[in-house]
Amino acid sequence: MARIVMKFGGTSVADLDRIRNVANRVKKEVDAGNQVSVFVSAMAGTTDRLVGYVEGISPMHDAREYDTVVSAGEQITSGLLAIALQDMGIPARSWLGWQMPMKTNKVHGAARIEDIGTEEIISRLEDGVVCVMAGFQGISDDNRITTLGRGGSDTSAVAMAAALNADRCDIYTDVDGVYTTDPRIVPKARKLDKITYEEMLEMASLGAKVLQTRSVAMAMNHGVRVQVLSSFEDKPGTLVVDEDEIVENQVVSGITYAKNEAQVIVVGVKNKPGIASDVFTLLADSNVNVDMIIQNETEDGKKTDLTFTVVESDLEKSKEVLEKAENIEFENIVTDDNVVKISVVGVGMRSHAGVAATMFKTLADKGINIQVISTSEIKISVLIDAEYTELAVRALHTAYGLDAE
Ligand code: ADP
Ligand code: ASP
Ligand code: MG
């Protein structure tokens, strides 16, 4: 007997037939004698619709009420799945975030899990009840409902798997595993049998939304065995594992793209020591997360251009705070939200030279201009015009030998 956590995403619970299909999947695990906890997302499209309602009623809304509204989709699916299971003769009950409780901090819209009450869940599991839980939501110390950020049900499931000391956390979705790149834009993408936590973490944070970044970090820290697999087909998925479980590393394991980036160029900044510190301290104090950065001095060294990227939703704010700053002198600010960040990821990069050169040459051969570059130990990212997203990802996929036969 194993203790397992299963998580089903929005497309997997998109209508009543699919919820019945999920119930069948759960039944298989129950019939195999396992203790089963299940997390569900809202039906596909529901959370977007709820976000639309909140923005429609007031663009400058109270973040606590936003969470009250947008968490509602998961209440529906958790109840429906419990009913579907009961109809099949399986004892089941639903839990909302506050009932578990899934305790979080007070950062509404992007709350972090701090503690999970597992006593009641464990005792029900031991009685043979399937515990169906609403993903994405929690409760703060102030007794307010919180949400964990978009895609957060993955994190709910992994956190519960860690708290329950589960043997496995299976993430069921609309693709049958983690691919070398988004299979929806590269038909030749290849499914990976295994991927390291580290690579998965980079890929998630660089745009591969198949797992929420925080869920991967949590799995890595707590050694949770995560598997990504299809809700619709019965076949093995992708296991997220430690590096030593992978026999031979590819130099590049995956390619990602993130379209929600925006570029800011602060042109003609007076060049003096401390200027970068002034600019980036100001942005940090305004809660703007800066990603890629480059600085170019003019020939005489008197002025410099500072280029950086932020998430698209922070673009206006970044511009505004810089324009208001009295301690920073510059000529003007140029912004561009029509950009995409393309990244290549692989632990094999640590021991192989030439990975960056291949990337730059491949893009150059396609006539694609690189606007900003940033690297870390296991990834290289470039910022390019969004128009070339697909062309770039496909060309790189071929260049690194990742295409499926
Ligand atoms: P769910 O609703 O089940 O949480 P998501 O839409 O959040 O599903 O994540 C699954 C989607 O992630 C896939 O449909 C796919 O388009 C996208 N995706 C992006 N990059 C990858 C990748 N490297 N491997 C697999 N899927 C990816
Ligand atoms: N329903 C939430 C969202 O759409 C959480 C999730 O699906 O993981 O972001
Ligand atoms: Mg998701």
Side-chain angles (χ1 to χ4, degrees):
M1 187 197 72
R3 181 175 282 176
I4 63 168
V5 175
M6 307 170 85
K7 177 260 168 177
F8 293 89
T11 355
S12 312
V13 294
D15 57 37
L16 301 187
D17 279 342
R18 289 192 180 175
I19 291 177
R20 285 191 198 99
N21 169 58
V22 166
N24 276 315
R25 291 250 146 190
V26 173
K27 182 173 188 299
K28 277 192 194 159
E29 296 292 357
V30 173
D31 290 347
N34 296 320
Q35 286 186 1
V36 187
S37 304
V38 188
F39 275 86
V40 283
S41 293
M43 291 179 175
T46 299
T47 310
D48 284 343
R49 197 171 71 244
L50 298 174
V51 170
Y53 289 157
V54 177
E55 281 169 358
I57 202 118
S58 165
M60 298 298 292
H61 47 261
D62 179 340
R64 292 162 297 192
E65 303 305 349
Y66 167 97
D67 278 351
T68 304
V69 177
V70 305
S71 61
E74 276 74 6
Q75 174 158 352
I76 297 170
T77 45
S78 56
L80 289 174
L81 179 58
I83 295 172
L85 287 163
Q86 290 168 0
D87 268 4
M88 297 165 108
I90 298 168
R93 195 212 119 160
S94 68
W95 271 265
L96 298 180
W98 63 269
Q99 293 171 308
M100 299 168 207
M102 178 75 71
K103 292 193 178 157
T104 73
N105 65 12
K106 295 176 202 164
V107 184
H108 286 274
R112 280 181 179 270
I113 298 169
E114 290 182 335
D115 189 32
I116 306 179
T118 51
E119 212 176 307
E120 191 186 15
I121 307 277
I122 290 175
S123 101
R124 295 300 182 104
L125 288 174
E126 284 170 351
D127 291 344
V129 174
V130 173
C131 298
V132 183
M133 294 177 262
F136 183 50
Q137 49 174 265
I139 185 159
S140 71
D141 274 353
D142 298 349
N143 216 19
R144 300 298 305 255
I145 289 172
T146 55
T147 62
L148 310 180
R150 297 305 305 271
S153 299
D154 298 331
T155 304
S156 310
V158 173
M160 184 59 84
L164 292 175
N165 215 351
D167 299 280
R168 279 173 11 227
C169 182
D170 293 339
I171 307 282
Y172 287 86
T173 183
D174 57 1
V175 283
D176 59 0
V178 178
Y179 280 70
T180 45
T181 191
D182 188 347
R184 303 208 187 280
I185 74 157
V186 181
K188 286 183 186 160
R190 201 152 39 81
K191 189 168 104 185
L192 300 164
D193 296 331
K194 290 179 181 174
I195 184 167
T196 66
Y197 287 112
E198 241 183 305
E199 287 168 321
M200 192 63 242
L201 188 63
E202 285 281 8
M203 283 185 57
S205 72
L206 295 167
K209 69 163 183 167
V210 60
L211 287 176
Q212 198 199 33
T213 309
R214 276 188 193 166
S215 73
V216 187
M218 194 167 296
M220 185 156 120
N221 292 340
H222 293 88
V224 177
R225 259 190 113 69
V226 171
Q227 191 180 181
V228 177
L229 62 181
S230 165
S231 296
F232 309 114
E233 288 172 282
D234 208 357
K235 58 180 182 186
T238 302
L239 262 179
V240 189
V241 298
D242 281 324
E243 208 171 324
D244 56 15
E245 285 188 57
I246 293 192
V247 189
E248 205 181 341
N249 281 321
Q250 292 278 347
V251 180
V252 169
S253 301
I255 298 172
T256 61
Y257 62 95
K259 284 189 171 162
N260 64 341
E261 296 268 321
Q263 176 179 249
V264 181
I265 309 175
V266 193
V267 181
V269 186
K270 194 164 171 200
N271 199 7
K272 56 178 188 196
I275 190 65
S277 158
D278 289 347
V279 169
F280 294 113
T281 303
L282 178 71
L283 291 165
D285 290 347
S286 316
N287 279 320
V288 172
N289 236 331
V290 173
D291 181 15
M292 310 166 96
I293 301 176
I294 46 169
Q295 180 174 358
N296 297 325
E297 276 186 16
T298 49
E299 232 167 67
D300 60 8
K302 288 192 179 137
K303 289 199 171 162
T304 178
D305 290 346
L306 267 179
T307 304
F308 58 89
T309 65
V310 295
V311 288
E312 224 165 2
S313 52
D314 280 342
L315 182 59
E316 279 312 307
K317 181 156 83 172
S318 312
K319 201 173 161 203
E320 233 174 79
V321 293
L322 285 167
E323 278 167 350
K324 279 198 199 132
E326 280 164 10
N327 59 335
I328 302 166
E329 284 176 56
F330 57 88
E331 287 161 16
N332 62 315
I333 294 182
V334 181
T335 62
D336 184 359
D337 59 3
N338 202 19
V339 288
V340 62
K341 180 170 69 175
I342 310 273
S343 310
V344 299
V345 176
V347 286
M349 252 180 235
R350 289 195 195 113
S351 47
H352 279 81
V355 182
T358 302
M359 184 175 202
F360 304 152
K361 177 153 193 332
T362 306
L363 297 175
D365 287 348
K366 296 282 176 198
I368 300 170
N369 187 41
I370 299 173
Q371 289 163 242
V372 189
I373 301 171
S374 78
T375 66
S376 76
E377 209 188 0
I378 66 162
K379 73 118 206 271
I380 306 163
S381 302
V382 297
L383 195 75
I384 63 169
D385 191 327
E387 191 189 333
Y388 301 115
T389 309
E390 271 129 55
L391 178 65
V393 174
R394 287 183 189 152
L396 291 168
H397 200 264
T398 306
Y400 289 109
L402 297 174
D403 288 353
E405 260 95 71

